[in-house]
Amino acid sequence: MAQLNVNPTRMELARLKDRLALATRGHDVLKDKQDGLMRSFIELIRENNAYRQEVEGHLKKGMQNFALAKALLHEEYLEQISLVPQYDVTVDVRKENMMSVKVPKMHFSSDDHDDQSLNYGYINSNADLDETLQEFSDVLPKMLKLAELEKTSQLLANEIERTRRRVNALHERTIPDLEETIKTIQMKLDENERAEITRLMKIKDFDQED
């Protein structure tokens, strides 16, 4: 703890007490915010992990099917198919307020299409290729949702760290310094008051002797 460099006056004492009350309220508000952010963060991490496992499952299955398809199809044919998009996806990114943190909210839309229709001929393809493209098509919305969750988690983690530093600064430095300074000023004022009373009593005794 360190005392603040201020004049030991009653006006300064009143000002420091107001600062202490404000710092204490600020600490309580920030602590509540930190707790709320932590609860939201934990829920997001759980949801993020669930989406990640689901996405990784789809990608793993899709890659396994692709490995089988690649073994039976010509490489140039696969390259030609990969250059033709099955459908267009539009991503609308907006921002929402989550406990004073601006987090992304993504809305995904695609043009009308039939999931069962694939944009290539069936003569030179095989079932493994069909299943590969279907897996990748199904997993795309989940991948975009996962990106939203991970970005939101990152932003919340940064805000939690900033809030934690502010809470610690108030709890470990600002509030103790104010309390110590107030205590010292109060002791100094009490000492001056006792000295003044003693001086007045001596003056009174001198007057009575005269």
Side-chain angles (χ1 to χ4, degrees):
M1 291 184 295
Q3 295 184 24
L4 304 179
N5 186 19
V6 295
N7 296 323
T9 63
R10 294 195 177 278
M11 182 177 295
E12 192 65 39
L13 179 63
R15 189 180 70 84
L16 289 176
K17 286 183 177 179
D18 289 339
R19 284 183 58 187
L20 177 60
L22 181 61
T24 302
R25 289 196 300 270
H27 173 270
D28 293 340
V29 170
L30 287 174
K31 190 65 171 63
D32 290 341
K33 177 183 176 181
Q34 182 183 8
D35 294 341
L37 285 170
M38 283 299 302
R39 287 192 294 269
S40 298
F41 181 72
I42 291 172
E43 292 176 0
L44 273 174
I45 290 300
R46 290 173 178 169
E47 186 177 3
N48 183 84
N49 289 339
Y51 264 94
R52 176 170 288 279
Q53 291 178 5
E54 189 173 358
V55 166
E56 289 178 350
H58 279 286
L59 292 177
K60 181 179 179 180
K61 185 176 180 181
M63 292 305 298
Q64 289 173 343
N65 290 331
F66 181 73
L68 295 174
K70 186 176 181 182
L72 300 175
L73 296 176
H74 198 280
E75 185 173 349
E76 291 184 2
Y77 178 71
L78 292 175
E79 290 181 357
Q80 292 176 0
I81 292 176
S82 65
L83 294 176
V84 180
Q86 186 174 352
Y87 55 89
D88 294 328
V89 176
T90 302
V91 182
D92 179 23
V93 182
R94 301 180 182 179
K95 290 186 177 180
E96 290 188 354
N97 191 312
M98 179 182 289
M99 300 190 69
S100 76
V101 181
K102 296 293 184 180
V103 300
K105 192 66 177 178
M106 301 181 184
H107 176 70
F108 318 112
S109 59
S110 59
D111 54 0
D112 294 333
H113 65 283
D114 182 5
D115 289 338
Q116 303 302 320
S117 63
L118 301 172
N119 298 330
Y120 58 84
Y122 293 96
I123 297 177
N124 296 324
S125 65
N126 56 35
D128 293 321
L129 179 61
D130 298 344
E131 293 178 4
T132 297
L133 297 179
Q134 192 61 57
E135 283 291 338
F136 290 158
S137 176
D138 292 342
V139 79
L140 180 59
K142 296 181 175 63
M143 291 179 66
L144 296 174
K145 180 62 177 180
L146 180 61
E148 175 189 304
L149 291 172
E150 291 195 343
K151 184 60 178 179
T152 300
S153 299
Q154 179 186 0
L155 292 172
L156 283 185
N158 293 339
E159 184 65 19
I160 289 171
E161 179 60 22
R162 284 193 293 267
T163 305
R164 184 190 65 81
R165 288 198 298 265
R166 294 172 65 187
V167 169
N168 289 344
L170 287 169
H171 179 70
E172 299 176 5
R173 185 66 183 270
T174 303
I175 292 177
D177 289 353
L178 287 170
E179 290 176 340
E180 183 67 17
T181 304
I182 289 172
K183 180 180 177 180
T184 300
I185 292 177
Q186 189 66 62
M187 292 174 60
K188 187 69 174 178
L189 291 175
D190 292 343
E191 181 181 343
N192 291 342
E193 185 176 353
R194 288 193 296 270
E196 181 66 17
I197 292 175
T198 301
R199 188 182 68 83
L200 292 175
M201 291 178 64
K202 288 182 177 180
I203 292 176
K204 183 177 180 180
D205 291 340
F206 287 145
D207 291 340
Q208 290 178 351
E209 289 177 1
D210 293 341

